[in-house]
Amino acid sequence: MKIADSVFGNERKELEKFNKLDLDERSIVFYSEDISSFVYFEQIIHELTEKMGCQICYVTSAKDDPILTSQNKRIKAFYIGLGAIRTKFFMELKAEVLVMTMPNLETYFIKRSKVYPVHYVYVFHSIVSTHTIYRKGAFDHFDSIFCTGPHHVKEIKATEQLYDLKQKNLVACGYGLLDKLQKNKPVKNQERCTEDGRKKILVAPSWGKKGLLETKGLELVKILLDAGYHVTVRPHPMTIRKWPKIIKTIKNEFKDNTNFEMETDVSSFESLYSTYGLISDWSGIGFEYAFVCERPVLYIDGFPKINNPSYDKIPCKPLEVSIRNLIGKVISPNELKSLPEIIESTYENIDFFITKIQEVRNETVFNFGQSGIKGAQEIVKILHEEKKP
């Protein structure tokens, strides 16, 4: 038997096991497209299983997903891969509620169930706006959207009005990853320098053909290293996947420099806590660093990542544009040579930013530290409403 046939057979058996469950046992289902999805669900799942005693199913397309070996008896986990079995799972799904963090439901290959009136819930994996980085129609076919902040509510309502869409259940939920980072934040202030006194700088941009690493990566890292900083580059997974030559070039150029690191495990956020300064472009990690560590972000300006060419029809200024100057500084790519001076002037006056960052966070994020409770309560509420005759 070929290995591919064996894997396909295992996925099919997992789906059969899932389908043999009573409907009550699979009334609440979470779907994860990769191992990084769990951090966005974690707070909600903890409330549902540990605090409210609910049984859930966790269906994953990642064969190395840690959830598959979970000892939590209230979680039934299944691996269905990324191919035909996954397509079959979605098309024939029977469950009351399906929670997912993958957009574009119904617009691409992932479809709503054809056999059962499943209630589809979307949980965000970023605080960024809905009408720029996401494709047009990315959220149109969900029933409930767990919004991270007021901007999501305004944007989705404006989209519904513009395109005459059915109104969705917009829940003032919050952002699970932010809450997880806040809960795991070290009590003591972290050492933000190496043992020999070099300040730690984390470069963590978004991805794209015109992204920071893709266009200015070598130059940026060289300037920082020459200025005496310890530099960690944290490329977006899509940069690693789509532009591996660029990552290889940066690695090879600085591999012999003990003050250079490449961090490819984006499931870990430990480096955020110990970073003296964060440099980004349009990545949502800037919000996470600012709102949890209460330190400003240095944004290298450039071309924004626009996946929806019709975004300007929505009369809402994208969040990633509107608050960058409030939680940090926006720097022209032409100013890279002055970056060391800008870093020092910014972080020496960090007290100026702390109060402003706290204010922006309170205005931008729902239920800071409590999103899991709100999300779990809403899922149970939806479940009870779906079960009404």
Side-chain angles (χ1 to χ4, degrees), residues 1-14 63 79-82 85:
M1 180 183 293
K2 294 180 180 179
I3 294 177
D5 292 337
S6 176
V7 172
F8 182 81
N10 290 336
E11 295 168 3
R12 184 173 59 247
K13 288 178 181 177
E14 287 286 282
K63 61 183 177 181
Y79 167 66
I80 60 168
L82 290 163
I85 297 301

Side-chain angles (χ1 to χ4, degrees), residues 209-245:
K209 191 175 182 179
K210 298 179 180 179
L212 180 58
L213 276 190
E214 290 83 351
T215 58
K216 299 285 186 179
L218 277 174
E219 180 186 0
L220 173 62
V221 174
K222 187 177 188 308
I223 289 171
L224 293 171
L225 289 173
D226 288 348
Y229 295 106
H230 180 279
V231 182
T232 299
V233 174
R234 182 186 171 103
H236 192 283
M238 290 300 290
T239 299
I240 297 173
R241 187 184 308 174
K242 287 181 171 287
W243 290 276
K245 289 183 179 179

Side-chain angles (χ1 to χ4, degrees), residues 33 90 100-112 120 122 125 130 133-142 145 307-308:
E33 60 181 310
F90 275 95
M100 55 197 292
T101 186
M102 182 173 68
N104 304 308
L105 177 67
E106 198 68 24
T107 60
Y108 286 91
F109 45 87
I110 297 300
K111 307 294 184 181
R112 292 177 64 104
Y120 290 83
Y122 183 79
H125 58 258
T130 59
I133 291 178
Y134 296 96
R135 292 183 175 91
K136 182 181 177 182
F139 311 104
D140 291 356
H141 298 279
F142 287 92
I145 308 286
N307 287 321
N308 176 12

Side-chain angles (χ1 to χ4, degrees), residues 89-95 105-106 111-118 120:
F89 163 77
F90 275 95
M91 295 283 283
E92 300 177 358
L93 176 63
K94 289 183 179 180
L105 177 67
E106 198 68 24
K111 307 294 184 181
R112 292 177 64 104
S113 174
K114 305 303 179 187
V115 299
Y116 198 83
V118 181
Y120 290 83

Side-chain angles (χ1 to χ4, degrees), residues 181 184-186 190 192 269-275 292-293:
L181 293 175
N184 293 343
K185 184 178 177 180
Q190 290 291 94
R192 302 184 186 278
F269 289 86
E270 292 304 314
S271 58
L272 279 186
Y273 301 126
S274 60
T275 292
V292 172
C293 299

Side-chain angles (χ1 to χ4, degrees), residues 252-271:
N252 289 340
E253 181 70 19
F254 304 110
K255 64 182 179 180
D256 296 327
N257 193 320
T258 57
N259 293 305
F260 170 79
E261 290 183 40
M262 180 77 75
E263 182 177 88
T264 56
D265 179 12
V266 295
S267 64
S268 171
F269 289 86
E270 292 304 314
S271 58

